[in-house]
Amino acid sequence: MITVESVSKSFNGKPAVDHISFQAHDQEILVLLGTSGCGKTTTLKMINRLIAADSGNIIIDGQNIRDKKVEELRMGIGFVMQHSGLFPHYTVKQNIAVVPELLKWEKKKTISRTEELLYKLHLSEDVLSRFPGELSGGQQQRVGIARALIANTPVLLMDEPFGALDNITKADIHTEFKSLEELKNKTIILVTHDVQEAFELGHRICLMDKGKIVQTGTPKEMLYHSENDFVNDFFAENRLLLEYKIATLKDISSFINPENKDDEFNFEETTSVWNALQKLSSDHKNTAHYENLIKAFNDYRKLQIV
Ligand SMILES: Nc1ncnc2c1ncn2[C@@H]1O[C@H](COP(=O)(O)OP(=O)(O)OP(=O)(O)O)[C@@H](O)[C@H]1O
Ligand SMILES: [Mg+2]
């Protein structure tokens, strides 16, 4: 769906993005992950031509973005700006209606779609008449997401969309985000510097450093087939937690003692080992199950690390 081919951008002679190449597939969430200043925002902005690339090609749905009119290109892309990017002198309602106005939607359609999105994003309707400055950072970000979703574009670019949320709210929003029907058939590129967020949401991850892509792969590939020490070190601090989160009950099922198998799982097989352990740990009756799972996970894990 989106192909980025050897794209570069320098500011005042200093490379911000340096010959990067990657692809985001149809219906995929691709995460651009990296520390501050590594070029994530610059990369995202080049995809909808908020910034012009110095060299290289960006192809969306078979067409080079340079050959498209900017307005036409942006009609097909929902963009969530870092720090929400809302217009401060527009009310929330006006902010959300920017694209529908451009598309000349009927007022009724805009209103009903706005209400639907507010509901899905857990915002109450009384925010509509307020200005962005009268909302919390997390609320502003959710309005930013509503604005990007309203026209139901096939491509969604999101720059740190959950950056202003605390960890507890973030965990809830991640779960909801993954289950939003709205997002199911889109191609999404999501920028974050939060390793756990990248693993929770990304089908694949592009790890960036100093304007370059160091490795692209699934969460499992990043952990168990890291291409160099940089990748390994980047995940070292969270490694065990990440391993628990990406392993599913299905992955470890052949390592579970068959005697314990049938009563072990009222869980779906796609449940992560981490979530299963969390549920089991809240009840003392489950100690044996809990220990069995840990043992199975450890046996599974030994075979992943080469
Ligand atoms: N308009 C600009 N003029 C000059 N330098 C810029 C400009 N925009 C970005 N840069 C520089 O390019 C580099 C990459 O910036 P970018 O905003 O893409 O990083 P980022 O990965 O999004 O960082 P963060 O996680 O802090 O948002 C940085 O060194 C930044 O200072
Ligand atoms: Mg940025």
Side-chain angles (χ1 to χ4, degrees):
M1 183 72 187
I2 303 175
T3 304
V4 172
E5 281 174 355
S6 197
V7 166
S8 298
K9 176 74 193 178
S10 294
F11 294 109
N12 313 318
K14 274 185 68 184
V17 170
D18 192 2
H19 294 92
I20 59 164
S21 300
F22 63 84
Q23 280 192 319
H25 308 307
D26 207 9
Q27 310 200 355
E28 166 177 66
I29 302 181
L30 180 77
V31 170
L32 299 182
L33 173 68
T35 48
S36 186
C38 73
K40 305 180 297 294
T41 296
T42 307
T43 302
L44 213 59
K45 285 186 172 171
M46 286 192 285
I47 297 175
N48 82 340
R49 285 175 58 189
L50 279 169
I51 294 177
D54 294 337
S55 61
N57 292 305
I58 300 174
I59 320 280
I60 298 182
D61 219 2
Q63 210 180 1
N64 196 315
I65 60 167
R66 246 185 263 125
D67 301 335
K68 270 193 155 182
K69 282 208 186 103
V70 170
E71 307 80 51
E72 205 184 309
L73 173 75
R74 292 189 191 151
M75 291 288 191
I77 301 177
F79 199 102
V80 181
M81 307 268 246
Q82 192 166 14
H83 316 297
S84 90
L86 299 173
F87 301 118
H89 305 299
Y90 281 15
T91 62
V92 167
K93 187 175 174 187
Q94 289 167 329
N95 263 289
I96 295 178
V98 168
V99 174
E101 296 261 310
L102 287 173
L103 296 172
K104 302 198 166 50
W105 281 14
E106 271 184 46
K107 286 245 159 17
K108 258 211 254 157
K109 181 175 169 190
T110 307
I111 290 169
S112 70
R113 180 85 174 121
T114 300
E115 286 169 355
E116 183 189 349
L117 285 168
L118 288 184
Y119 174 78
K120 285 182 177 166
L121 295 165
H122 302 274
L123 286 162
S124 74
E125 283 186 26
D126 65 63
V127 300
L128 285 174
S129 56
R130 289 196 235 160
F131 292 95
E134 298 165 344
L135 302 179
S136 74
Q139 287 170 328
Q140 288 180 35
Q141 285 196 319
R142 272 176 279 175
V143 173
I145 295 172
R147 185 175 65 173
L149 287 178
I150 195 156
N152 200 15
T153 53
V155 172
L156 191 58
L157 307 177
M158 311 180 87
D159 198 349
E160 307 259 6
F162 311 116
L165 304 177
D166 57 90
N167 281 341
I168 295 171
T169 315
K170 227 187 216 181
D172 284 344
I173 290 250
H174 285 167
T175 313
E176 284 158 21
F177 185 78
K178 278 190 287 191
S179 59
L180 270 182
E181 274 311 308
E182 297 271 340
L183 305 175
K184 291 277 151 74
N185 30 26
K186 292 188 194 303
T187 301
I188 300 175
I189 301 182
L190 185 145
V191 162
T192 185
H193 61 261
D194 178 334
V195 171
Q196 286 198 48
E197 180 164 283
F199 273 68
E200 226 134 85
L201 300 180
H203 296 119
R204 288 187 308 134
I205 297 170
C206 272
L207 180 60
M208 293 182 67
D209 181 42
K210 301 195 191 86
K212 291 193 157 72
I213 291 178
V214 190
Q215 185 172 346
T216 303
T218 62
K220 279 188 180 132
E221 285 165 349
M222 300 310 265
L223 282 188
Y224 295 128
H225 301 281
S226 49
E227 281 172 16
N228 55 40
D229 288 345
F230 178 87
V231 181
N232 223 349
D233 294 347
F234 197 88
F235 299 117
E237 198 183 322
N238 296 287
R239 182 165 186 109
L240 186 59
L241 176 66
L242 296 173
E243 287 190 45
Y244 272 111
K245 285 193 168 179
I246 59 173
T248 62
L249 294 181
K250 186 171 181 214
D251 290 332
I252 67 164
S253 77
S254 60
F255 299 91
I256 292 169
N257 184 343
E259 282 170 33
N260 305 313
K261 224 167 188 171
D262 29 287
D263 50 15
E264 189 86 58
F265 299 132
N266 297 320
F267 299 117
E268 305 228 0
E269 61 175 14
T270 53
T271 308
S272 71
V273 174
W274 177 258
N275 284 344
L277 286 172
Q278 274 200 319
K279 292 215 175 84
L280 291 174
S281 70
S282 59
D283 187 344
H284 290 302
K285 282 188 299 228
N286 294 322
T287 315
H289 292 350
Y290 183 89
E291 282 166 6
N292 283 329
L293 268 194
I294 297 219
K295 188 174 172 312
F297 172 75
N298 279 331
D299 292 343
Y300 160 82
R301 178 171 187 250
K302 275 183 217 142
L303 294 181
Q304 307 309 312
I305 303 170
V306 272

